[in-house]
Structures are given as C-alpha cells and as structure tokens.
Amino acid sequence: MEHSTHFPDAFYRVTIKGFCVENGKLLMIRESDALSGRWELPGGGMDFGEDMHTAFKREVGEEMGLKVSRMSRTPVYVWRHKIESRRIGWFYTMVLAYRVAFEDLHFTPSEECEEIRFVSKEEIPTLKIGGQMTELPEIFNPKDFTELF
C-alpha cells in the first residue's frame, strides 16, 4: 500500500455526484475549456462538516443554477479514484453517487457547467471524461434505474 506524505492513510476527499437518468440515458455536464473541457456528472466536493444532500444541492446550485427535486437517501454507486496532483503528489477521492432529479433542466452556464446532455452507456467511452469518471463506463448500468424514483 502506498503512503502519502501529505495526508494520513485514512484520508479521502469526498465527492457527491448525481445520477439523473431518463429513458436509460445519463445526464452529464461539460466543464468549460478554461477548466478541463471534460464531461462529468453533476456535483462536487463536500465542504467540511456538510452532509451529502446539502453538498449536492449546493454544488448544482453553484455550478448549474438548478434545484434538486429528489435525491435518494443512500448512494446508488460508490467508488474511489486516485488523483495525481503536481502540488501535493496524490490523494484518493471517495465518490458517493446518488440518484437525483431536478425541478427542470434550464441550467445557467458557468465555467464548471458549460453544456449538459443525456448520453447512453455506449456513448460514455467516446466522451472526453474527467478523471473521477474513468470508472463510469463499467459502473453505470441503465437497468439500475428502471424502477420509478
């Protein structure tokens, strides 16, 4: 096992992401080219002391100007991802992914969300996806979202 010189061995940065699925397709967002130009899931990092639902609602409000109408009580998927950083070497993120729905999809573009699009599972590998999303093609199963939410 690797050890970080910057964090205790039990340290994980927690990220909350949302799976908004309609007709078997997953809502993804694209960051501006000024950031990475990569496709991600809506959501972001938790602030210290914040709960998961509050963090997700804050992130999509800041990044997309959207309001969450529903969010599952527990995550649908959980995975970890190692992030390489020039500044601090590396660290792990723990991604907690919840099933979500929004009041509407009339988003306000920002650097963190320039475009939104529903994509099929087959389309995901063709997109320029963000680092934490590299596991997404194997994780996402549209059949996990066939029941009413």
Side-chain angles (χ1 to χ4, degrees):
M1 182 168 130
E2 296 178 272
H3 297 279
S4 171
T5 57
H6 296 280
F7 301 105
D9 289 341
F11 177 84
Y12 278 82
R13 171 77 164 125
V14 180
T15 302
I16 308 300
K17 296 291 184 178
F19 275 73
C20 179
V21 179
E22 291 185 9
N23 300 316
K25 293 188 173 190
L26 177 63
L27 180 73
M28 295 194 72
I29 66 172
R30 187 178 61 79
E31 292 182 338
S32 71
D33 291 334
L35 291 179
S36 72
R38 295 183 184 272
W39 289 88
E40 285 268 357
L41 290 170
M46 287 179 65
D47 286 344
F48 187 74
E50 204 170 32
D51 70 73
M52 287 71 74
H53 291 81
T54 301
F56 183 76
K57 291 173 183 176
R58 175 186 51 76
E59 284 285 345
V60 298
E62 291 171 2
E63 296 176 1
M64 306 168 70
L66 295 183
K67 292 189 187 252
V68 177
S69 62
R70 288 178 285 173
M71 184 172 175
S72 59
R73 288 183 32 139
T74 58
V76 180
Y77 304 118
V78 176
W79 69 92
R80 71 178 176 100
H81 180 76
K82 185 177 181 180
I83 294 182
E84 304 286 339
S85 167
R86 290 183 196 148
R87 190 170 53 102
I88 57 174
W90 59 271
F91 63 96
Y92 283 106
T93 60
M94 179 62 60
V95 181
L96 306 178
Y98 291 79
R99 187 171 185 184
V100 300
F102 299 102
E103 287 182 9
D104 61 59
L105 293 176
H106 303 294
F107 80 103
T108 304
S110 70
E111 276 195 341
E112 294 181 270
C113 178
E114 196 168 84
E115 180 182 353
I116 65 173
R117 181 177 5 155
F118 281 93
V119 298
S120 68
K121 179 177 175 67
E122 295 73 30
E123 290 176 274
I124 295 170
T126 69
L127 299 173
K128 180 181 171 187
I129 56 178
Q132 292 180 6
M133 299 299 106
T134 55
E135 291 86 351
L136 191 58
E138 286 77 42
I139 292 170
F140 175 53
N141 184 348
K143 292 178 183 176
D144 294 337
F145 300 89
T146 56
E147 292 183 21
L148 291 178
F149 179 43

